[in-house]
Amino acid sequence: MNIVLFGPPGAGKGTQAKNLVNKLNSFQISTGDILRDEIKKDSDVGKRIINYMNEGKFVDDEIVNKIIKNIIYDPNKKNKLIFDGYPRTIEQAKNLDIWLNDTNQKINYIFFLNVNKETIIKRIEKRKILEKRSDDDLNTIVKRYDKYMDTTKPVLDYYSDKSNFKEIDGSLEIDQITSKISSILKV
Ligand code: AMP
């Protein structure tokens, strides 16, 4: 089963992705984590993206797509993909469809964790203290939220009328969100 978790930064995608990975024996594909790793490794990609990441801007599709394509075409991960933070642009959504189709896969469910800006700001401030993420100062948070909502609107429109699109109230407690997702997936 392949799942897309969609929603602004701080909506709980990562937490739900980890739950699903355990339940479904799948792989969490967090583009944010993968990109942060590149920066930590100080790789060529890391050097190219550090400024974008720190400013809360999207990294070039060219870089992100290459990472994602390798994962989709990995036979060990076939039908075990939990996307967390991808796709974020309409081009990424279209590419995802093409690559999945090409490898005889599909998106089984898209979960939109819908949560308002005030809740996000409170949550990210808490996470900032726990995880010491350098891109999490308040200005960046607001920029990331606004940018996500603006830029991903076409992606939301692209998915929202599909029958496998499920909107979930992302302001609920983690356990409540988990059980809503579980009951839809019947796991
Ligand atoms: P996240 O951890 O998902 O909030 O992502 C952190 C940052 O990584 C974002 O603010 C972007 O700079 C970058 N990023 C993550 N996923 C993508 C993506 N699909 N496309 C472009 N940039 C991304």
Side-chain angles (χ1 to χ4, degrees):
M1 176 141 52
N2 295 322
I3 292 170
V4 168
L5 293 166
F6 192 76
K13 300 188 296 293
T15 308
Q16 297 306 327
K18 286 184 179 71
N19 274 327
L20 290 168
V21 162
N22 288 334
K23 268 189 198 148
L24 302 170
N25 191 23
S26 307
F27 297 90
Q28 178 183 5
I29 319 299
S30 161
T31 38
D33 284 351
I34 295 168
L35 296 169
R36 274 186 289 276
D37 260 9
E38 293 294 330
I39 292 175
K40 240 188 255 160
K41 287 191 291 191
D42 201 24
S43 67
D44 287 344
V45 167
K47 288 188 183 103
R48 277 177 68 189
I49 64 176
I50 187 161
N51 291 335
Y52 288 97
M53 296 274 291
N54 285 339
E55 286 168 24
K57 290 181 183 155
F58 284 1
V59 169
D60 274 356
D61 272 2
E62 180 211 333
I63 292 174
V64 180
N65 285 344
K66 199 171 161 196
I67 292 169
I68 292 292
K69 194 174 175 189
N70 282 334
I71 294 170
I72 294 175
Y73 283 77
D74 178 350
N76 296 322
K77 297 191 173 136
K78 189 170 180 178
N79 283 317
K80 292 183 175 185
L81 305 169
I82 312 292
F83 293 99
D84 156 17
Y86 185 96
R88 259 161 147 113
T89 66
I90 196 82
E91 289 75 21
Q92 290 180 358
K94 286 180 179 166
N95 281 329
L96 179 60
D97 280 349
I98 291 168
W99 295 328
L100 288 176
N101 197 37
D102 197 34
T103 52
N104 288 316
Q105 303 182 71
K106 63 174 182 174
I107 301 169
N108 298 83
Y109 287 98
I110 301 140
F111 291 109
F112 173 39
L113 306 185
N114 194 3
V115 58
N116 66 32
K117 201 178 196 166
E118 289 67 36
T119 310
I120 292 289
I121 290 173
K122 273 190 215 137
R123 279 189 189 167
I124 300 193
E125 284 192 314
K126 224 166 146 190
R127 187 168 80 184
K128 185 171 127 190
I129 295 162
L130 293 173
E131 295 180 14
K132 301 193 177 75
R133 279 174 53 165
S134 65
D135 60 344
D136 275 348
D137 66 89
L138 193 60
N139 255 342
T140 309
I141 293 159
V142 173
K143 245 195 249 168
R144 284 171 64 209
Y145 182 91
D146 289 342
K147 167 92 178 168
Y148 189 94
M149 290 315 236
D150 286 352
T151 322
T152 59
K153 177 79 173 62
V155 183
L156 196 57
D157 294 343
Y158 182 75
Y159 286 135
S160 60
D161 58 350
K162 297 198 193 310
S163 62
N164 58 358
F165 176 89
K166 309 283 174 195
E167 180 167 342
I168 293 184
D169 179 0
S171 67
L172 294 172
E173 294 298 321
I174 290 173
D175 289 352
Q176 291 173 301
I177 298 176
T178 304
S179 65
K180 277 188 188 289
I181 291 177
S182 296
S183 74
I184 292 167
L185 298 180
K186 302 184 180 65
V187 290

